[in-house]
Amino acid sequence: MALGTATDPYELRFDTGRSSLDLIATTHPVERLGSLDALRAWITGSGLVPPGTPLTHADPTWLTGFRELRAETARLVRTRPVPPTPAYDLALARVNEFALAAPPAPRAVPGADGALVRELTGPPPCAALLGALARDAVELLTDPVARASLRQCAGDNCPIVYVDTSRGRRRRWCSSEICGNRERVARHRRRAALAR
């Protein structure tokens, strides 16, 4: 793989605090799920499946399913209409429908060193993976404490939503290394320009 492609691990982000929010983050700053290889890397990186789980059976319909769940979950996370709108109601119905599928079944097996490791009982179907993500979204949206901890990144033009678990709930950025660093560099440049 070429460096800088969306399937490089450093390009895929898993720092929002929830797998369903990590899925939403795959739209920023560009589409991160642009190919089956990228989707496979994201599924493994998100922890939905243990490392080394073969996902060769994934087909283009998987991209459609993940993108649909991503869009519906984003609509629910980013809006809290009172009373609910038809678009919100439809998104909620779709996420609940995705959540009906049982997540992939894990099992414990001895690893190379004899310690128990997690593996799946078989190749995970797309519906099972989407079900696990949708269940995470349902748990997030119905947990008042987690819902109250949702924050929009304060970074310039960053749409990422994350769970703020910091002490004092003062986290400002989705990532201190990315958006936080950009903000610090911009602040430094403004001070340097004023000092001239």
PDB file of all heavy atoms in Angstrom, residues 2-3 12 55 65 94 128 151 154 180:
ATOM      1  N   ALA A   2       0.448   2.229  -0.715  1.00  0.00           N
ATOM      2  CA  ALA A   2       1.195   3.478  -0.768  1.00  0.00           C
ATOM      3  C   ALA A   2       0.986   4.273   0.505  1.00  0.00           C
ATOM      4  O   ALA A   2      -0.081   4.244   1.093  1.00  0.00           O
ATOM      5  CB  ALA A   2       0.739   4.291  -1.977  1.00  0.00           C
ATOM      6  N   LEU A   3       2.029   4.943   0.929  1.00  0.00           N
ATOM      7  CA  LEU A   3       1.894   5.794   2.108  1.00  0.00           C
ATOM      8  C   LEU A   3       0.884   6.887   1.846  1.00  0.00           C
ATOM      9  O   LEU A   3       0.784   7.405   0.741  1.00  0.00           O
ATOM     10  CB  LEU A   3       3.244   6.411   2.476  1.00  0.00           C
ATOM     11  CG  LEU A   3       4.268   5.445   3.052  1.00  0.00           C
ATOM     12  CD1 LEU A   3       5.576   6.172   3.292  1.00  0.00           C
ATOM     13  CD2 LEU A   3       3.777   4.814   4.326  1.00  0.00           C
ATOM     14  N   LEU A  12      -6.456   6.135   9.783  1.00  0.00           N
ATOM     15  CA  LEU A  12      -7.713   5.731  10.402  1.00  0.00           C
ATOM     16  C   LEU A  12      -7.656   6.096  11.876  1.00  0.00           C
ATOM     17  O   LEU A  12      -6.683   5.805  12.556  1.00  0.00           O
ATOM     18  CB  LEU A  12      -7.929   4.220  10.225  1.00  0.00           C
ATOM     19  CG  LEU A  12      -8.051   3.760   8.779  1.00  0.00           C
ATOM     20  CD1 LEU A  12      -8.041   2.241   8.703  1.00  0.00           C
ATOM     21  CD2 LEU A  12      -9.313   4.318   8.141  1.00  0.00           C
ATOM     22  N   LEU A  55     -11.285 -11.168   6.358  1.00  0.00           N
ATOM     23  CA  LEU A  55     -12.484 -10.470   5.900  1.00  0.00           C
ATOM     24  C   LEU A  55     -12.545 -10.468   4.374  1.00  0.00           C
ATOM     25  O   LEU A  55     -13.107  -9.570   3.761  1.00  0.00           O
ATOM     26  CB  LEU A  55     -12.489  -9.028   6.433  1.00  0.00           C
ATOM     27  CG  LEU A  55     -12.575  -8.881   7.950  1.00  0.00           C
ATOM     28  CD1 LEU A  55     -12.303  -7.445   8.371  1.00  0.00           C
ATOM     29  CD2 LEU A  55     -13.939  -9.344   8.454  1.00  0.00           C
ATOM     30  N   GLY A  65     -23.620  -0.629   3.315  1.00  0.00           N
ATOM     31  CA  GLY A  65     -24.191  -0.802   4.652  1.00  0.00           C
ATOM     32  C   GLY A  65     -23.502   0.044   5.708  1.00  0.00           C
ATOM     33  O   GLY A  65     -24.170   0.701   6.522  1.00  0.00           O
ATOM     34  N   ARG A  94     -33.857   3.152  11.373  1.00  0.00           N
ATOM     35  CA  ARG A  94     -32.813   2.389  10.672  1.00  0.00           C
ATOM     36  C   ARG A  94     -31.739   1.888  11.630  1.00  0.00           C
ATOM     37  O   ARG A  94     -31.305   0.745  11.537  1.00  0.00           O
ATOM     38  CB  ARG A  94     -32.166   3.241   9.567  1.00  0.00           C
ATOM     39  CG  ARG A  94     -33.029   3.436   8.362  1.00  0.00           C
ATOM     40  CD  ARG A  94     -33.366   2.124   7.641  1.00  0.00           C
ATOM     41  NE  ARG A  94     -32.182   1.583   6.987  1.00  0.00           N
ATOM     42  CZ  ARG A  94     -31.944   0.279   6.855  1.00  0.00           C
ATOM     43  NH1 ARG A  94     -32.789  -0.618   7.326  1.00  0.00           N
ATOM     44  NH2 ARG A  94     -30.851  -0.142   6.261  1.00  0.00           N
ATOM     45  N   ALA A 128     -23.839  -8.718  11.101  1.00  0.00           N
ATOM     46  CA  ALA A 128     -23.386  -8.875  12.491  1.00  0.00           C
ATOM     47  C   ALA A 128     -22.491  -7.710  12.902  1.00  0.00           C
ATOM     48  O   ALA A 128     -22.601  -7.194  14.019  1.00  0.00           O
ATOM     49  CB  ALA A 128     -22.651 -10.198  12.664  1.00  0.00           C
ATOM     50  N   ARG A 151     -19.107  15.782  22.793  1.00  0.00           N
ATOM     51  CA  ARG A 151     -18.582  17.104  22.474  1.00  0.00           C
ATOM     52  C   ARG A 151     -18.281  17.179  20.983  1.00  0.00           C
ATOM     53  O   ARG A 151     -17.835  16.210  20.376  1.00  0.00           O
ATOM     54  CB  ARG A 151     -17.280  17.390  23.226  1.00  0.00           C
ATOM     55  CG  ARG A 151     -17.384  17.314  24.723  1.00  0.00           C
ATOM     56  CD  ARG A 151     -18.100  18.525  25.308  1.00  0.00           C
ATOM     57  NE  ARG A 151     -18.120  18.448  26.748  1.00  0.00           N
ATOM     58  CZ  ARG A 151     -19.068  17.858  27.479  1.00  0.00           C
ATOM     59  NH1 ARG A 151     -20.077  17.266  26.893  1.00  0.00           N
ATOM     60  NH2 ARG A 151     -19.009  17.856  28.787  1.00  0.00           N
ATOM     61  N   ALA A 154     -13.539  21.442  18.797  1.00  0.00           N
ATOM     62  CA  ALA A 154     -13.408  22.894  18.646  1.00  0.00           C
ATOM     63  C   ALA A 154     -12.413  23.261  17.554  1.00  0.00           C
ATOM     64  O   ALA A 154     -12.183  24.437  17.300  1.00  0.00           O
ATOM     65  CB  ALA A 154     -12.973  23.520  19.968  1.00  0.00           C
ATOM     66  N   GLY A 180      -5.721  19.854  18.131  1.00  0.00           N
ATOM     67  CA  GLY A 180      -5.086  20.659  19.170  1.00  0.00           C
ATOM     68  C   GLY A 180      -3.777  21.252  18.690  1.00  0.00           C
ATOM     69  O   GLY A 180      -3.487  22.428  18.928  1.00  0.00           O
TER      70      GLY A 180
END
